[in-house]
Amino acid sequence: MALVSGSWNARPHIASAGTCCLVGVIFQQTLFVANAGDSRVVLGKKVGNTGGMAAIQLSTEHNANLEAVRQELKELHPHDPQIVVLKHGVWRVKGIIQVSRSIGDVYLKHAQFNREPLNAKFRLPEPMNMPILSANPTILSHALQPNDSFLIFASDGLWEHLSNEKAVDIVNSNPHAGSAKRLIKAALHEAARKREMRYSDLRKIDKKVRRHFHDDISVIVLFLNHDLISRGTVLDPTLSIRSALDH
């Protein structure tokens, strides 16, 4: 808010900038997850002695395409019949944005930033009497068990192309090193397949244009060391981090 206020006259478009946020904290052998937006964390959990790995989603998402989110918005804004609008087969908050919670996006939180000189596509036709979006996260907890193997934290760009089960299978079927990069590559292959183009051709598209082919993708894979967790010690955890921009 302070940044937007100080930059409003010179850079009004900053009022429409926003981000989702997904945070995980392990404390006393419990994983706490806080999520604002439509990123997701999925747990890979060993199934007995079968060698199989179950995929368990540990976060809830704030995307207007989910019926529960649309219902929440309607209850928060009972006098606004246009609080969620279906446009081109996609539900959007006020017909503009898919997420109902985010950091930033102050043009849908404070009326003084929903006016000229902000781009017309972000301006509402009627007065905004209360914030439409929120930055409050949903917080969940999960007591870690010895058969909990790894966690995949990723933005919605990954989950748009890979199911929870497919992502867990990719991580489980390969060496730890490079897991996040492997997931992004699989998602990009799927994005290319949906557009009936080759992966190599998708990679050649300018980054500014790529957004029309797939959303941004950021991934962190965390492999759980239960010996360290039980002792309350964190040394150098096995992490695999990758962003599609790097890839």
Side-chain angles (χ1 to χ4, degrees):
M1 277 296 300
L3 179 63
V4 174
S5 295
S7 306
W8 174 251
N9 291 327
R11 295 189 295 158
H13 64 275
I14 200 172
S16 62
T19 183
C20 300
C21 188
L22 176 63
V23 177
V25 175
I26 295 174
F27 178 69
Q28 295 182 349
Q29 301 183 56
T30 299
L31 169 69
F32 296 91
V33 174
N35 186 47
D38 54 6
S39 295
R40 182 187 305 173
V41 58
V42 172
L43 168 70
K45 190 181 189 76
K46 294 176 184 173
V47 181
N49 297 317
T50 65
M53 191 76 66
I56 301 172
Q57 186 170 323
L58 295 180
S59 57
T60 58
E61 292 154 36
H62 310 119
N63 188 305
N65 276 317
L66 300 173
E67 172 61 35
V69 172
R70 294 198 298 274
Q71 189 58 39
E72 178 185 61
L73 287 166
K74 290 174 183 177
E75 291 173 0
L76 289 170
H77 305 271
H79 304 299
D80 187 353
Q82 299 293 308
I83 188 63
V84 284
V85 178
L86 186 63
K87 292 182 69 173
H88 309 297
V90 178
W91 286 99
R92 296 181 183 275
V93 182
K94 300 301 292 182
I96 301 174
I97 190 171
Q98 284 185 259
V99 294
S100 62
R101 305 191 195 189
S102 69
I103 295 172
D105 293 314
V106 299
Y107 72 104
L108 287 177
K109 295 177 180 177
H110 296 276
Q112 72 259 38
F113 300 119
N114 197 286
R115 58 183 175 84
E116 291 185 337
L118 185 69
N119 190 304
K121 68 180 180 180
F122 297 117
R123 299 202 303 265
L124 301 177
E126 69 282 340
M128 182 165 53
N129 300 316
M130 62 179 289
I132 293 170
L133 301 187
S134 164
N136 294 333
T138 296
I139 300 175
L140 300 96
S141 63
H142 170 77
L144 291 170
Q145 305 296 325
N147 55 342
D148 293 343
S149 183
F150 56 83
L151 298 161
I152 303 172
F153 292 79
S155 61
D156 71 310
L158 183 82
W159 308 114
E160 181 182 353
H161 299 295
L162 297 183
S163 66
N164 295 349
E165 291 73 20
K166 180 64 176 176
V168 164
D169 182 60
I170 290 171
V171 173
N172 186 47
S173 304
N174 292 281
H176 288 187
S179 291
K181 181 178 181 178
R182 207 170 283 117
L183 286 171
I184 288 179
K185 189 172 182 179
L188 294 181
H189 270 284
E190 182 61 18
R193 185 193 67 80
K194 290 176 180 175
R195 289 299 191 101
E196 299 182 341
M197 62 190 302
R198 291 180 300 187
Y199 167 75
S200 57
D201 291 334
L202 177 66
R203 288 285 308 276
K204 295 173 185 174
I205 297 173
D206 184 82
K207 290 176 181 176
K208 293 179 181 178
V209 181
R210 282 266 287 274
R211 187 63 181 262
H212 297 292
F213 292 82
H214 65 82
D215 207 344
D216 56 286
I217 310 173
S218 294
V219 182
I220 298 175
V221 182
L222 173 67
F223 296 91
L224 298 169
N225 183 322
H226 291 279
D227 182 46
L228 292 179
I229 292 171
S230 64
R231 288 188 280 140
T233 306
V234 178
L235 297 174
D236 290 320
T238 307
L239 272 175
S240 178
I241 306 173
R242 202 72 178 184
S243 163
L245 290 179
D246 299 329
H247 186 67

